[in-house]
Structure formats: C-alpha cells, structure tokens
Amino acid sequence: DWEIASKIGITKGIVLVKRVGERNTKDKKYNWAVWAGKPVNISAKLSDISEGDTVLVTDDVFQDFKSPKELYDYLILSCGCDGKGNPTEEGPRPLWEEKSKLEEKFSTKVWELKSKWCDIHGEKYINKVLEIISKEDSQ
C-alpha cells in the first residue's frame, strides 16, 4: 500500500562539486560528492514546494525547451488527442503553466508541468525529442 511520487525542481547554472569525508580504501565509504551553489539551492527549493508528481522549472530551462524551434511542438505542447488517439477540437494544449506567484521568490519566472503526453503518443514524442537533440549535437 505504498504511494510513490516524485517532486522535481530544475534550474541551471554553475555548480561547485567537492568530494568530502575520509577515504575508506576497503569499501570507499565516506567519500561523498557534495554539490554546492545557487542552482542546487533553487532546484531543492523548487522540488520542496512542488506537489507530488510535478515538475517545476525556472524560465531559463523553459526557454531551452524552445530551441531548436522543432522542440516546441514536443516539449511545450500536448499531442492534442483525447488520450485514445482521437484529435480533440481544441487541438494541442500547453503542457506548462506559469506560476506567477513564485516569480518574486525566485527572481525569475517558474513553470509547472501541468499535463503529460498521452499513452498513445508519448513514446513517439520522446523519440522525436531525442532525434532533434541528437541532430543538434552532431552539428
């Protein structure tokens, strides 16, 4: 009877990584990596305030979803179907909602993932995203 959920906060920036603790040569315990910096702090705060099974991202991350331009249709908009493969009258809808009440706290716009890809088109969408990103990386 466990209920498992995830809470994700994402931002980007420069992060310092440092190994701390004593090295134990036998089983290498106590030699953890510590991640420090503003992006880690903001991501942690975003995940703390997000509700179960949601994603919060800062505006710099959200804007990256639009570049290259082909990503927009896959990372910003839904497929526009009713979840069973049938197109809806309203067509593709935004997957994200701006959380304006958080802008002052984080000094940037914050976006929440409010919808998900449907079971019918989800795999096709993620494969298309990976194809676009791979094409960009090879250029």
Side-chain angles (χ1 to χ4, degrees), residues 30-98:
Y30 312 115
N31 193 17
W32 301 297
V34 173
W35 302 71
K38 189 174 181 179
V40 175
N41 190 19
I42 290 173
S43 293
K45 287 180 179 180
L46 287 172
S47 68
D48 281 346
I49 63 174
S50 70
E51 298 181 17
D53 287 334
T54 60
V55 177
L56 292 175
V57 301
T58 54
D59 195 52
D60 52 355
V61 173
F62 182 77
Q63 296 307 320
D64 284 349
F65 295 160
K66 299 177 181 180
S67 179
K69 190 178 177 192
E70 300 99 332
L71 284 178
Y72 186 89
D73 291 339
Y74 300 98
L75 295 179
I76 304 295
L77 300 174
S78 72
C79 61
C81 87
D82 62 1
K84 297 177 183 167
N86 306 310
T88 62
E89 286 184 26
E90 54 198 24
R93 296 170 312 283
L95 296 169
W96 299 86
E97 178 182 286
E98 185 181 343

Side-chain angles (χ1 to χ4, degrees), residues 5 32 66 86 124 127 135 139:
W32 301 297
K66 299 177 181 180
N86 306 310
K124 174 182 148 190
N127 286 333
K135 187 173 82 176
Q139 292 178 356

